[in-house]
Amino acid sequence: MPEYKAVYRPAPVVVEGAHLRDYDALGRQAASDPLAFWEGLARELLEWYAPWDEVLDDSNPPFFKWFTGGKTNVVLNALDRHQHTANRNKLALIWEGEDGSLKSYSYFALNREVCEFANVLKSMGVKKGDRVTIYMPRIPELVMAMLATAKIGAVHSVVYGGFSVEALGERIEDSESKVLITADGGYLRGKVIPLKSIADEALQRCGTVEHVVVIRRTGEPVHMEQDRDYYYDELMALPIARADGPKCETEVMDAEDPLFLLYTSGTTGKPKAILHTHGGYQVGIATTLKYAFDLKPEDRWWCAADPGWITGHSYIVYGPLILGATSVMYE
């Protein structure tokens, strides 16, 4: 271990206002009764449609199940519950594009966009348990696509917008995705990445996708296949997007129902899908973001990851929204 010559302690005012002031005490509490520890955090940090029957089912290792019998949905905590508090008027997402463009969404506005897009997905036949692949640049619609998919009980698979035709194709095929959400292109370090062209080539290699939703980001001309490809803005302008006013009921999910698939990089072999569920995942990320990063509702929080990675899922999208903070995303 390196020998550090200086240790910088936080100012007393920071310590006084921290969520966690005695790390060792918390560690002892967790070690002495882990199930009571996690059950307490699940009650403290989240709302549930119905409580769980058992905190941990470890009868079939390594297939452990958390909060079995509990009913929830990540969107219940990331968006729905904020609509009934002052948070509805608070900024949920601040976005800056590589070209300097700016957009911001309150919790109310983000919820409205998510509900409308969820209605669009339902009109395409997407239902609970269906898989949706998301292959996009870091733009607000990526966040909305994730939340809309989760809201209706479908399973999202976000593929990093810098991945190749082969990488995208094999992830779509393996997940048997019904819908692909992409963009005409994306900006990355001053270059335009032709996402739609890459997606078109990938789709020639797999036959499960029935519909493709395309966000206009760069304005590049792209091929649009009739009866398969649709522009996002045109879909959102249709009456189906505002079928309920605009509202969309959040699907009640079991704690162990799948939330998303996220594939390994594939650098050492065939990419493998890691499955995360609604219940335990929420408890874990809300806990780490609140206590390890000391995130407070008044904070504006920036995570430099990409939503294509687990850090982006947890600390750009779901974690900050669950805790009612403001997430900052840069393209």
Side-chain angles (χ1 to χ4, degrees), residues 37-56:
F37 174 78
W38 288 112
E39 183 171 32
L41 287 165
R43 296 186 190 280
E44 171 194 337
L45 299 175
L46 304 177
E47 291 184 9
W48 299 76
Y49 293 118
W52 46 89
D53 302 318
E54 189 176 14
V55 178
L56 173 64

Side-chain angles (χ1 to χ4, degrees), residues 2 13 50 67 70 115 136 139 181 204 278-279 313 316 318:
V13 67
F67 306 103
C115 286
M136 291 172 61
I139 55 178
I181 306 169
Q204 294 177 12
H278 278 261
H313 278 59
I316 294 177
Y318 292 122

Side-chain angles (χ1 to χ4, degrees), residues 1-154:
M1 293 289 291
E3 182 179 346
Y4 296 104
K5 295 182 178 180
V7 175
Y8 297 92
R9 303 288 182 184
V13 67
V14 174
V15 175
E16 185 63 29
H19 288 305
L20 179 58
R21 283 178 253 173
D22 191 338
Y23 175 84
D24 291 334
L26 188 73
R28 288 192 296 271
Q29 178 190 349
S32 64
D33 193 342
L35 298 189
F37 174 78
W38 288 112
E39 183 171 32
L41 287 165
R43 296 186 190 280
E44 171 194 337
L45 299 175
L46 304 177
E47 291 184 9
W48 299 76
Y49 293 118
W52 46 89
D53 302 318
E54 189 176 14
V55 178
L56 173 64
D57 177 359
D58 58 358
S59 60
N60 185 28
F63 303 103
F64 300 102
K65 298 180 179 181
W66 285 91
F67 306 103
T68 55
K71 304 299 179 185
T72 186
N73 187 309
V74 72
V75 175
L76 167 66
N77 289 291
L79 286 179
D80 293 355
R81 64 174 171 173
H82 300 304
Q83 305 309 308
H84 311 294
T85 71
N87 281 352
R88 74 196 299 266
N89 297 317
K90 176 183 179 181
L91 285 178
L93 179 66
I94 299 172
W95 174 81
E96 180 175 344
E98 194 170 282
D99 59 357
S101 53
L102 295 168
K103 290 182 180 179
S104 61
Y105 299 85
S106 66
Y107 275 89
F108 176 81
L110 183 60
N111 182 67
R112 180 189 62 221
E113 297 290 324
V114 168
C115 286
E116 291 183 359
F117 190 45
N119 286 329
V120 167
L121 290 176
K122 288 202 296 185
S123 76
M124 292 179 163
V126 179
K127 58 187 183 301
K128 181 178 178 179
D130 286 341
R131 274 76 65 200
V132 174
T133 293
I134 301 171
Y135 180 62
M136 291 172 61
R138 277 191 299 269
I139 55 178
E141 289 82 1
L142 172 50
V143 176
M144 295 166 190
M146 293 170 65
L147 290 162
T149 303
K151 186 176 182 70
I152 61 176

Side-chain angles (χ1 to χ4, degrees), residues 128-316:
K128 181 178 178 179
D130 286 341
R131 274 76 65 200
V132 174
T133 293
I134 301 171
Y135 180 62
M136 291 172 61
R138 277 191 299 269
I139 55 178
E141 289 82 1
L142 172 50
V143 176
M144 295 166 190
M146 293 170 65
L147 290 162
T149 303
K151 186 176 182 70
I152 61 176
V155 182
H156 61 68
S157 169
V158 180
V159 179
Y160 171 56
F163 272 177
S164 66
V165 170
E166 293 77 14
L168 175 61
E170 61 189 358
R171 286 162 174 77
I172 293 173
E173 185 174 31
D174 184 78
S175 64
E176 299 181 347
S177 287
K178 193 171 185 176
V179 170
L180 171 65
I181 306 169
T182 187
D184 53 7
Y187 296 108
L188 186 63
R189 301 193 192 108
K191 297 180 180 179
V192 173
I193 308 300
L195 297 176
K196 180 58 166 63
S197 298
I198 294 170
D200 287 339
E201 188 174 344
L203 290 176
Q204 294 177 12
R205 309 181 183 200
C206 45
T208 62
V209 169
E210 298 172 8
H211 301 291
V212 178
V213 179
V214 182
I215 289 89
R216 302 182 208 254
R217 172 62 186 125
T218 64
E220 298 287 314
V222 295
H223 170 73
M224 298 289 285
E225 185 170 312
Q226 189 171 359
D227 298 327
R228 188 197 72 179
D229 300 352
Y230 303 90
Y231 279 116
Y232 175 87
D233 58 309
E234 294 177 1
L235 291 171
M236 294 287 275
L238 295 174
I240 55 171
R242 289 169 293 282
D244 292 323
K247 294 180 181 178
C248 177
E249 289 298 318
T250 300
E251 187 77 24
V252 177
M253 307 294 285
D254 188 88
E256 276 293 303
D257 279 338
L259 168 59
F260 64 86
L261 297 169
L262 191 58
Y263 284 83
T264 58
S265 62
T267 53
T268 58
K270 184 177 174 62
K272 299 170 184 64
I274 309 301
L275 175 67
H276 293 262
T277 59
H278 278 261
Y281 172 74
Q282 289 188 73
V283 179
I285 63 169
T287 300
T288 53
L289 191 54
K290 179 174 181 178
Y291 289 111
F293 293 95
D294 199 35
L295 189 70
K296 300 181 177 66
E298 64 271 19
D299 289 337
R300 295 193 174 186
W301 160 266
W302 177 48
C303 173
D306 186 284
W309 311 119
I310 187 62
T311 314
H313 278 59
S314 302
Y315 301 133
I316 294 177

